[in-house]
Amino acid sequence: MGLWSWLFGQLIDVIEWTDNSRDTMVWRFPRDDHEIKYGAKLIVRESQTAVFVNEGVVADVLGPGTYELETNNLPILTDLQHWDHGFNSPFKAEVYFINTHRFTDLKWGTKGPIMVRDPEFSMVRLRAYGTYEIQVSDPEAFLREIVGTDVHFTVDEIDDQLSNLIVSKLATVLGQDKTPMLDLAANYDLFNEHITNGIKPYFAEYGLKLNKILVENISVPEDVQAAIDKRTSREITGDLDANLKYQAGNAMGNSNSSMSDMIGMGAGLAMGQQMANSMQNNKTATPQTPPPPPERNSFYVSIDGEAEGPYPLEQISKMITDGKIDKDSYVWQNGYEKWEHAGVALAKLFKQTPPPLPK
């Protein structure tokens, strides 16, 4: 190696990163004992952040722009290097470029069903999958908590970890949500927002911002789905008798139907008719009540030219005793053609009635 090649390698004038990929989150500028020239230019493009690490300690974090590396704009690094005065020698430091653009269409999904309570079905096991979107919000925390000393860190290296984080926290979020399972599909937008807000704090611990989670599908295990389908089919068929007649008509009109199919359909039709009649009778039948008891022997009484009553015999007997009715009073009951004298119609009561008490 010639002298000029060695000097060119030792004194780096421009530090920059042009990313041609869409999955690189962190890229460390190649160091290999190269020294950074004091006064060299650092170019940080939009959607990038540069992090200087000196002897394992984060020294400075620089956003988009062009920088001349000297003591005035690297105060922390200056303190670490003890640049108390004009120090123009090259220095060694690690420079990490962190991609801050959005990483989209990342996949997540449950490996097994999650047991949750449901207002309608009591308890159900749910499976779910979808996509999510992230970006680095705190470069220093992300470098410290996730990347470490990785030279080239891609989203694939953290995708599984973040997907598992979403699934592990999804059960908690679903448990807090009171939306019935059958209404989730109609409320996906609200549900997406709800679970995104519920899981965001866990991503922030890694220096990441969870922009959104999209739920593409929520489903139940096959046996539960079969039970729901059976219930749906039963409600769609409507009138049982009409449905069986329709099926029987189709079987009779189908030339491929065997005689056993016809017999089975006929038996089903008869059974369906019997069930339909039974259900109809249960709907229309009214409880049997005993007839009213026969009316007791009662009479209408003419008092002061007005018909009053009807009165039972016990009350008429008391009225005779009280002097309100005498033998010449008129009485009438159902079956009489005309009014009769009480002395004739109620002769027995007059015989049984004691005379008035002496005064």
Side-chain angles (χ1 to χ4, degrees):
M1 178 184 299
L3 178 61
W4 291 110
S5 298
W6 180 83
L7 288 175
F8 182 77
Q10 291 295 316
L11 304 178
I12 299 174
D13 294 320
V14 178
I15 301 173
E16 62 179 340
W17 175 44
T18 55
D19 181 24
N20 296 322
S21 71
R22 294 294 300 171
D23 62 347
T24 301
M25 300 187 75
V26 178
W27 181 78
R28 189 177 71 187
F29 188 82
R31 181 167 172 259
D32 297 334
D33 292 330
H34 291 184
E35 293 179 332
I36 299 174
K37 179 181 178 181
Y38 181 78
K41 286 187 178 181
L42 170 69
I43 300 175
V44 183
R45 291 173 169 79
E46 291 292 341
S47 74
Q48 291 181 355
T49 297
V51 179
F52 276 81
V53 177
N54 177 261
E55 297 181 357
V57 178
V58 174
D60 281 287
V61 179
L62 301 175
T66 300
Y67 303 87
E68 187 172 343
L69 303 181
E70 55 187 21
T71 57
N72 292 333
N73 54 25
L74 291 175
I76 300 177
L77 187 58
T78 299
D79 182 64
L80 292 174
Q81 295 284 359
H82 304 290
W83 290 345
D84 300 325
H85 48 79
F87 183 68
N88 298 320
S89 299
F91 62 93
K92 291 183 179 181
E94 296 173 339
V95 181
Y96 289 86
F97 285 91
I98 297 180
N99 218 332
T100 57
H101 71 67
R102 297 188 179 197
F103 292 90
T104 62
D105 200 32
L106 304 178
K107 309 296 183 182
W108 68 271
T110 57
K111 294 181 175 66
I114 301 174
M115 180 71 74
V116 297
R117 294 188 179 276
D118 185 80
E120 185 171 352
F121 295 99
S122 181
M123 290 182 292
V124 293
R125 293 178 297 154
L126 298 179
R127 296 178 183 271
Y129 65 84
T131 60
Y132 65 100
E133 177 185 297
I134 60 170
Q135 65 184 134
V136 178
S137 59
D138 187 341
E140 183 176 348
F142 182 64
L143 194 66
R144 181 178 61 251
E145 299 292 338
I146 301 297
V147 179
T149 58
D150 198 333
V151 175
H152 184 197
F153 189 89
T154 64
V155 71
D156 294 337
E157 299 180 56
I158 196 176
D159 187 24
D160 288 341
Q161 181 179 348
L162 296 180
S163 176
N164 292 335
L165 179 61
I166 291 174
V167 173
S168 66
K169 303 304 179 184
L170 183 64
T172 303
V173 176
L174 284 174
Q176 297 171 348
D177 188 78
K178 303 303 181 182
T179 305
M181 181 194 71
L182 297 181
D183 294 337
L184 286 176
N187 295 276
Y188 267 6
D189 289 342
L190 294 176
F191 186 63
N192 291 339
E193 182 179 353
H194 179 66
I195 63 175
T196 299
N197 293 333
I199 299 177
K200 268 184 178 181
Y202 304 103
F203 278 66
E205 295 176 3
Y206 297 150
L208 293 171
K209 178 183 178 183
L210 177 63
N211 290 321
K212 59 184 173 182
I213 295 178
L214 298 180
V215 178
E216 296 181 10
N217 180 266
I218 296 179
S219 61
V220 295
E222 293 182 0
D223 53 345
V224 179
Q225 185 62 55
I228 294 176
D229 291 343
K230 185 177 294 183
R231 173 179 172 181
T232 304
S233 300
R234 186 169 63 247
E235 294 182 358
I236 289 177
T237 55
D239 182 75
L240 180 62
D241 182 43
N243 183 59
L244 288 172
K245 288 180 180 179
Y246 171 74
Q247 294 185 30
N250 283 344
M252 293 176 66
N254 187 356
S255 58
N256 296 326
S257 299
S258 63
M259 183 58 68
S260 60
D261 291 336
M262 297 290 187
I263 295 174
M265 188 62 68
L269 181 60
M271 183 180 295
Q273 183 65 47
Q274 184 177 358
M275 293 174 62
N277 291 340
S278 175
M279 290 188 289
Q280 186 66 24
N281 291 337
N282 289 338
K283 291 180 180 179
T284 58
T286 56
Q288 296 294 329
T289 56
E295 293 187 6
R296 303 180 65 179
N297 199 7
S298 57
F299 288 84
Y300 288 90
V301 180
S302 176
I303 298 178
D304 296 331
E306 299 289 338
E308 297 183 7
Y311 298 116
L313 292 178
E314 291 84 351
Q315 188 170 352
I316 290 179
S317 177
K318 185 175 183 304
M319 295 172 71
I320 293 174
T321 302
D322 294 340
K324 295 181 179 179
I325 300 177
D326 56 23
K327 292 183 179 181
D328 293 329
S329 299
Y330 286 99
V331 296
W332 181 90
Q333 73 170 174
N334 189 22
Y336 281 18
E337 293 183 359
K338 60 180 181 178
W339 291 78
E340 300 285 348
H341 285 289
V344 177
L346 303 171
K348 293 182 179 180
L349 293 181
F350 282 98
K351 293 180 180 179
Q352 297 173 358
T353 302
L357 293 173
K359 295 182 180 179

